[in-house]
Amino acid sequence: MSLNWDVKYLKESRAAMWNDDYMEFLIEKVWKINTPVNIVDFGCGVGFMGLVFLPLLPKGSTYTGIDINKILLSEAKDIFKHSPYKTNFIEKDLLEYIPEKKYDIAICQTVLQHIPNPKRILEKMKNSVIEGGRIICVEIDTITAIATQYFQSIKQSEILNLSNYQKIVEKDEIEKDVHGGHIGMKIPVFMQELGLKDIDIRVNDYVQFINPMGDKEKHKKDVKSYMANPQTKKPGNREETLAWYLNRGYTEKEAEEQCDCQFMFYEYITQNINHDYVVNARCLFISYGIV
């Protein structure tokens, strides 16, 4: 399964996903990782989770990333080329990957939402971990994430129609076994069904505050990160956008409403992002369990 992720998007968007102190809290206080561990990252992209984990793990820990995209893997190798950490990268389609080695921890971030029947990948993660090892999955529940945004100069209801969106999410789950909209909240259920133990779930505490009156460099970085998200990209022409929604199962009225929201959001964000306050709760759900 090939996903054509852009290197620039992955690097910029993930800059606004974690508070390092929260990850440190999870590693030290929740998961109690106090000896070196070998980690495998399913759908590693440019190795972002390695950058988050490795500085906080006990010395001697290793990181292996798996991804189908050779361009992203090349970027990952370049990022870690002069680091003090032991890393390895495997070019492989997750749908075809057969675990050959056992690790202490298997992780993934915002990957399962893009894969039909994500439980298949979770099972491969389970088969990649030693007995007593841990699986950690970080996923966005998109409905929650969309709802937890605040924009200073426009009503949320004018640019976000969650009722229409949720209908399509639920339709995809039933008809296509695609769980992107609710995957963040479903992972613990899948883990239980696969026989994992001591399952729990938390929410990342990172909230992005885009503050035009604050530090100028931070504001510039926050705007750049926010604008890297696909939702901020210019829509196609209205006829094409309407056709896309109709093909997804929207009624004509619902498709018109979604188009109005999408075009109004794009107009608002491009005109106001540099001088309006924006609060964006990323709502990354962190599920974990023991094999």
Side-chain angles (χ1 to χ4, degrees):
M1 183 196 66
S2 178
L3 296 172
N4 295 317
W5 294 113
D6 178 74
V7 172
K8 182 174 181 290
Y9 161 67
L10 285 179
K11 292 177 74 172
E12 291 180 357
S13 65
R14 276 144 180 76
M17 279 194 170
W18 285 96
N19 284 320
D20 289 342
D21 56 355
Y22 187 66
M23 178 58 79
E24 186 175 13
F25 165 76
L26 290 174
I27 288 173
E28 293 186 1
K29 303 297 184 183
V30 178
W31 301 324
K32 296 181 172 60
I33 303 173
N34 50 28
T35 58
V37 289
N38 300 313
I39 291 181
V40 60
D41 185 358
F42 278 64
C44 66
V46 297
F48 173 77
M49 290 302 278
L51 292 174
V52 172
F53 267 84
L54 286 171
L56 303 172
L57 291 172
K59 186 176 180 180
S61 296
T62 70
Y63 173 81
T64 296
I66 306 170
D67 206 286
I68 191 175
N69 191 317
K70 64 176 59 181
I71 295 175
L72 299 183
L73 290 180
S74 177
E75 182 72 15
K77 291 174 184 177
D78 189 59
I79 289 172
F80 284 96
K81 183 167 56 178
H82 300 298
S83 79
Y85 308 112
K86 184 177 179 181
T87 60
N88 179 44
F89 295 95
I90 300 170
E91 184 183 335
K92 197 71 177 178
D93 186 336
L94 293 181
L95 297 180
E96 299 175 359
Y97 176 67
I98 299 174
E100 297 178 352
K101 180 180 177 181
K102 297 284 188 178
Y103 300 82
D104 301 299
I105 299 173
I107 61 174
C108 68
Q109 176 176 271
T110 58
V111 169
L112 300 180
Q113 62 183 293
H114 302 290
I115 299 176
N117 189 3
K119 199 189 296 185
R120 289 180 299 175
I121 306 304
L122 267 173
E123 189 166 16
K124 293 187 181 192
M125 294 175 72
K126 177 182 176 181
N127 294 336
S128 298
V129 172
I130 62 173
E131 185 175 353
R134 191 183 304 274
I135 295 176
I136 301 168
C137 298
V138 182
E139 290 288 345
I140 294 175
D141 184 277
T142 54
I143 293 172
T144 305
I146 290 170
T148 51
Q149 297 186 81
Y150 165 77
F151 305 97
Q152 181 185 9
S153 302
I154 195 168
K155 294 178 181 177
Q156 314 308 99
S157 58
E158 293 180 359
I159 56 175
L160 303 172
N161 191 324
L162 288 176
S163 178
N164 280 353
Y165 179 71
Q166 191 160 357
K167 288 179 183 178
I168 295 304
V169 167
E170 293 170 350
K171 185 173 185 288
D172 284 348
E173 290 173 345
I174 295 170
E175 296 181 3
K176 302 178 183 178
D177 199 18
V178 175
H179 300 266
H182 272 321
I183 190 68
M185 293 188 181
K186 287 190 170 184
I187 295 298
V189 177
F190 294 154
M191 287 181 168
Q192 183 63 52
E193 291 173 346
L194 289 171
L196 270 66
K197 299 170 288 188
D198 299 330
I199 300 163
D200 209 345
I201 181 169
R202 289 174 174 259
V203 180
N204 187 342
D205 71 341
Y206 186 86
V207 179
Q208 186 178 37
F209 176 36
I210 301 178
N211 179 11
M213 301 304 292
D215 179 83
K216 298 303 179 184
E217 285 304 312
K218 182 180 184 302
H219 180 251
K220 182 179 178 181
K221 181 180 177 182
D222 284 339
V223 168
K224 186 177 181 181
S225 171
Y226 188 85
M227 293 304 291
N229 290 315
Q231 72 185 74
T232 65
K233 303 306 178 187
K234 185 176 181 179
N237 65 57
R238 189 172 182 88
E239 291 74 20
E240 291 175 349
T241 306
L242 277 171
W244 187 88
Y245 283 120
L246 290 170
N247 288 335
R248 294 296 302 277
Y250 282 69
T251 65
E252 289 189 15
K253 181 177 182 293
E254 290 169 343
E256 290 283 356
E257 290 173 347
Q258 287 299 104
C259 275
D260 289 343
C261 287
Q262 190 170 346
F263 281 87
M264 191 174 294
F265 174 74
Y266 176 75
E267 181 180 356
Y268 165 77
I269 208 69
T270 52
Q271 292 180 6
N272 296 281
I273 188 63
N274 287 309
H275 52 79
D276 264 13
Y277 297 104
V278 176
V279 181
N280 177 29
R282 303 308 296 264
C283 294
L284 288 168
F285 289 84
I286 309 159
S287 302
Y288 46 94
I290 301 295
V291 173

